[in-house]
């Protein structure tokens, strides 16, 4: 029995199509030289890059970043009245650090935008105003904020008014659902395969002219 929702099914099918097209777009040389450990090595290198960037922070900057991250701690017992104060403080920290709000500083590579779902609409609005990419994915699960909201909507049979406003905000800013993002990757792979085919044709044509 397939317990997936229509959204999950569309995303899975689109992911399968993207994977198929990416494999098909690989040249024979690509496949021969493919390192099965490459994805793990890439992930480790990415984590090292994040650690290296964090290591460049001064003691004062590190303290500010930790304070900023604490606003997204769902276990902090935050009261509703504290949220607006935290949004104002978050704005101050972002501006003082000249912070890239897409930087994956939270646990498990969760984006600040995804984490803002559990904070407030005002925090999400601030992050977007400060440059948050509505289509940046969490390091784990490759989900965006819009995917998390849609999943919550399915599980709970709807969203609160505030989260409906979040959903509408993300969509108005160009948020793409998982199936759309996977289909775009599939199309990129098709174009890559077409370019390879065109290059091979030109090479064969050039060889023929030289005879």
């Amino acid at each position: 029995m397939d317990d997936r929702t229509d959204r999950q099914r569309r995303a899975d099918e689109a992911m399968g199509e993207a994977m198929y097209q990416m494999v098909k777009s690989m040249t024979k040389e690509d496949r021969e030289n493919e390192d099965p450990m490459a994805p793990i090595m890439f992930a480790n290198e990415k984590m090292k890059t994040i650690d290296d960037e964090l290591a460049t922070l001064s003691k004062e900057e590190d303290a500010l970043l930790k304070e900023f991250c604490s606003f997204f701690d769902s276990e902090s017992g935050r009261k509703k009245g504290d949220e607006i104060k935290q949004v104002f403080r978050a704005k101050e920290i972002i501006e003082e650090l000249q912070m890239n709000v897409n930087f994956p500083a939270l646990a498990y590579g969760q984006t600040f935008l995804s984490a803002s779902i559990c904070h407030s609409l005002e925090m999400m609005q601030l992050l977007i105003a400060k440059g948050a990419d509505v289509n940046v994915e969490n390091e784990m699960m490759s989900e965006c904020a819009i995917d998390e909201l849609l999943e919550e909507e399915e599980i709970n049979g709807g969203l609160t008014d505030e989260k409906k406003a979040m959903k509408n905000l993300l969509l108005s800013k160009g948020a793409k659902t998982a199936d759309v993002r996977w289909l775009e990757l599939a199309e990129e792979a098709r174009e890559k395969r077409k370019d390879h085919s065109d290059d091979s044709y030109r090479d064969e044509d050039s060889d023929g002219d030289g005879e």
Side-chain angles (χ1 to χ4, degrees), residues 4-210:
R4 295 175 299 171
T5 64
D6 288 341
R7 180 187 65 84
Q8 291 169 329
R9 190 175 297 106
R10 288 195 305 271
D12 289 345
E13 290 173 355
M15 179 175 66
E17 175 66 12
M19 294 298 184
Y20 171 77
Q21 293 298 337
M22 284 188 278
V23 170
K24 292 285 285 184
S25 70
M26 293 174 70
T27 63
K28 182 179 179 181
E29 184 179 0
D30 289 336
R31 284 191 281 270
E32 289 174 349
N33 296 329
E34 185 181 16
D35 183 352
M37 296 298 292
I40 296 174
M41 293 171 64
F42 176 76
N44 289 340
E45 186 63 30
K46 195 167 186 180
M47 290 303 298
K48 184 178 182 303
T49 300
I50 293 171
D51 290 340
D52 289 346
E53 289 191 42
L54 292 174
T56 65
L57 297 176
S58 68
K59 186 176 180 180
E60 291 75 16
E61 290 170 335
D62 183 60
L64 286 173
L65 179 60
K66 286 178 179 176
E67 181 185 358
F68 184 82
C69 290
S70 72
F71 300 153
F72 302 93
D73 183 0
S74 59
E75 304 299 323
S76 63
R78 180 179 59 248
K79 295 179 180 178
K80 189 67 178 176
D82 294 334
E83 291 176 351
I84 299 302
K85 293 179 183 177
Q86 289 183 347
V87 171
F88 279 110
R89 180 57 181 153
K91 181 175 183 293
E92 292 175 346
I93 293 173
I94 291 170
E95 292 173 352
E96 186 169 347
L97 292 177
Q98 296 184 331
M99 184 177 171
N100 172 12
V101 294
N102 294 306
F103 185 77
L106 294 173
Y108 309 110
Q110 185 185 26
T111 66
F112 289 118
L113 195 63
S114 286
S116 70
I117 293 172
C118 294
H119 191 280
S120 63
L121 174 62
E122 290 78 13
M123 183 65 83
M124 181 176 284
Q125 290 170 328
L126 170 67
L127 292 170
I128 291 175
K130 293 299 183 182
D133 181 352
V134 295
N135 289 308
V136 69
E137 297 178 346
N138 297 317
E139 294 295 318
M140 292 183 68
M141 304 300 290
S142 299
E143 289 188 332
C144 295
I146 189 65
D147 300 316
E148 295 191 19
L149 277 170
L150 291 174
E151 182 177 9
E152 182 174 335
E153 186 174 34
E154 288 173 345
I155 292 172
N156 297 332
L159 294 170
T160 64
D161 288 343
E162 182 175 38
K163 290 189 176 180
K164 285 178 185 176
M166 290 180 180
K167 174 184 170 182
N168 291 335
L169 173 62
L170 291 170
L171 292 173
S172 73
K173 297 298 181 180
K176 300 171 184 176
T177 55
D179 59 318
V180 173
R181 298 196 306 276
W182 280 117
L183 288 174
E184 287 182 348
L185 286 175
E187 184 58 31
E188 289 174 14
R190 286 193 197 95
E191 288 299 316
K192 181 181 177 182
R193 186 172 57 173
K194 181 176 179 295
D195 290 343
H196 285 162
S197 298
D198 290 345
D199 289 342
S200 297
Y201 177 80
R202 282 192 289 269
D203 289 343
E204 291 173 4
D205 193 47
S206 176
D207 291 342
D209 290 342

